Amino acid sequence: MSNIAYMDYNATAPIVPGATQAIVDALACIGNPSSVHGMGRKARALMEDARDCVGAFVNVRSDWVFFTSGGTEADALAIKGCGRERILVSSVEHAAVLNASEVVETLDVDANGIVLLDGLEDRLKNDSRPTLVSVMAANNETGVIQPIAEIVEIAHRYDALVHCDAVQAVGKIDFDMQALGCDLISLSAHKMGGPQGVGALVKRPEIKLQAQISGGGQERSLRGGTENLIGIVGFGAAAKEKTNFMRVKALRDDLETQIKGLSDDIIIFGETVDRLPNTSFFALRGLTSERQVMALDLAGVMISSGSACSSGKVKASHVLAAMGVGDEYANSAIRVSLGWDSHKDDIDKFVQAYAKLVERVQQKNSNRSDAA
Ligand code: PLP
């Protein structure tokens, strides 16, 4: 990857060396974790070791952890499986939450994308139907962190359950499920240095869920289907790694200082509030996000125009729309996200390529004003 600056960790992080090694070792294990013979028991032991690591990672007992095929499935299991009549979710949630159920109702956010707590309380006070509140720990596009402990405190006062999509937060900031008081959380391995296609729904033991895939009753009847042993082992190993996010934050801050020096017309979303240390989402008016992503790609810089799941579609970010950002900025927003293998060279490569785009826009604007 030496000639490439990979800066799209919020889409998928490169696999950490410890997880790669654990996966390679696990490939030699041929047993099915449900088989009772020795090889099966060996496979199960590997899986249970990984469950311990994932549980410890978010400070819960391992029996709270149920492996799934990723964050999307964990979100769907929590939202569809909880049996609550009403589902209140923030309007900046990932599509995995927004599209998990037809009865999802959205909660308003402020200009930084933070859930309005008074609005949440009003909604709970004025309607006593059994409710699940689902709010993400940190946004995948802006990196803005939600006040989860406060949300839990309000929701529990009205007997609502709280699910938190922690997919982007874990590994980037401290995340202690018990300290926050969440009832259910979703995790995804490939956002934290593990492989794609594996994640977990973590829940308090007293919360009863309806399985969405029953099959052969694996995962204590909550998620049928032979477990993705290789993926689970990689997930467990990734959960043991500690990234130095102060180092990553210094790189992100350096990038932001440099781009702000290029033009006064660059907006960084969520700049003044608590954000993930690795994420920067910003807009340069006058050049669409897609054009910027393509130009940077040609320069060997891999970034994204928002959430990976919606890139490819020419559609402004629903997150920015919920924050009240106008089309002019929303249509030109790009996201840079860093991680364990990011270095100063990546930042310099990005800034060099981005400076050319800024120049292009400035040239276009001055040609326009000359013609006027
Ligand atoms: N939730 C959030 C906040 C995400 O960013 C993503 C992926 O981008 C998901 C859920 C979906 O996770 P997965 O890709 O593991 O299905």
Side-chain angles (χ1 to χ4, degrees):
M1 292 233 293
S2 57
N3 287 329
I4 301 267
Y6 184 80
M7 305 171 97
D8 202 11
Y9 278 64
N10 288 10
T12 283
I15 300 191
V16 291
T20 304
Q21 190 55 53
I23 289 168
V24 169
D25 294 346
L27 284 168
C29 177
I30 53 168
N32 183 319
S34 296
S35 297
V36 291
H37 52 63
M39 296 298 263
R41 291 200 305 278
K42 195 171 161 218
R44 176 155 295 272
L46 284 177
M47 190 169 81
E48 295 313 319
D49 280 350
R51 201 184 306 277
D52 291 346
C53 296
V54 172
F57 184 58
V58 291
N59 190 32
V60 301
R61 283 196 332 245
S62 48
D63 62 317
W64 292 29
V65 178
F66 296 82
F67 290 116
T68 64
S69 66
T72 303
E73 190 190 325
D75 286 341
L77 178 55
I79 290 170
K80 287 188 184 161
C82 71
R84 296 278 163 137
E85 218 174 291
R86 185 169 61 151
I87 312 288
L88 292 178
V89 313
S90 88
S91 48
V92 296
E93 291 303 303
H94 190 272
V97 165
L98 287 171
N99 299 332
S101 155
E102 280 166 10
V103 301
V104 157
E105 294 173 33
T106 54
L107 295 164
D108 291 338
V109 296
D110 67 13
N112 287 306
I114 298 174
V115 172
L116 295 170
L117 298 180
D118 290 347
L120 168 65
E121 179 143 19
D122 284 347
R123 298 280 280 275
L124 291 168
K125 202 187 286 173
N126 296 330
D127 184 339
S128 61
R129 280 179 296 162
T131 300
L132 173 85
V133 174
S134 179
V135 177
M136 66 204 326
N139 188 266
N140 44 300
E141 296 183 20
T142 59
V144 167
I145 295 168
Q146 297 287 352
I148 296 299
E150 283 99 316
I151 288 168
V152 168
E153 196 271 314
I154 295 169
H156 284 176
R157 243 190 288 136
Y158 296 91
D159 289 330
L161 290 179
V162 178
H163 165 249
C164 176
D165 177 335
V167 163
Q168 291 291 347
V170 293
K172 297 172 187 156
I173 52 172
D174 288 337
F175 188 94
D176 179 329
M177 179 178 176
Q178 298 206 67
L180 290 169
C182 307
D183 299 300
L184 310 115
I185 67 168
S186 300
L187 306 175
S188 173
H190 72 109
K191 310 290 185 178
M192 46 180 267
Q196 295 170 342
V198 59
L201 188 275
V202 185
K203 71 169 190 74
R204 293 181 177 280
E206 65 273 21
I207 310 284
K208 300 286 174 253
L209 287 182
Q210 176 74 47
Q212 301 302 302
I213 306 170
S214 303
Q218 287 89 347
E219 291 299 275
R220 289 155 287 155
S221 296
L222 207 56
R223 201 278 181 178
T226 300
E227 299 86 347
N228 171 6
L229 181 67
I230 305 299
I232 289 170
V233 166
F235 186 12
K240 283 197 281 194
E241 300 273 329
K242 290 263 177 290
T243 297
N244 179 350
F245 270 92
M246 288 312 285
R247 185 189 75 81
V248 174
K249 182 177 183 303
L251 291 173
R252 193 276 310 269
D253 291 350
D254 177 24
L255 179 141
E256 291 190 345
T257 307
Q258 292 203 55
I259 60 164
K260 282 194 287 189
L262 296 173
S263 161
D264 292 336
D265 199 26
I266 289 170
I267 288 192
I268 300 175
F269 303 108
E271 188 182 7
T272 57
V273 293
D274 269 356
R275 264 185 307 159
L276 294 177
N278 76 318
T279 306
S280 188
F281 194 33
F282 48 92
L284 164 70
R285 275 189 313 167
L287 202 55
T288 65
S289 319
E290 284 68 29
R291 277 176 181 268
Q292 294 179 61
V293 170
M294 281 189 289
L296 291 164
D297 186 23
L298 288 174
V301 178
M302 314 284 136
I303 54 111
S304 139
S305 61
S307 71
C309 311
S310 57
S311 59
K313 290 184 215 155
V314 187
K315 198 171 159 219
S317 146
H318 72 281
V319 175
L320 295 181
M323 290 161 58
V325 175
D327 284 352
E328 219 184 347
Y329 282 104
N331 291 331
S332 64
I334 57 170
R335 178 188 69 190
V336 172
S337 52
L338 311 173
W340 67 272
D341 202 23
S342 298
H343 300 281
K344 173 85 174 115
D345 287 357
D346 302 321
I347 307 301
D348 293 345
K349 199 169 166 72
F350 174 85
V351 174
Q352 209 179 25
Y354 191 68
K356 294 197 181 123
L357 297 181
V358 175
E359 223 177 274
R360 219 158 99 184
V361 171
Q362 285 166 344
Q363 190 65 50
K364 207 164 86 180
N365 290 345
S366 83
N367 289 348
R368 246 194 230 134
S369 57
D370 286 351

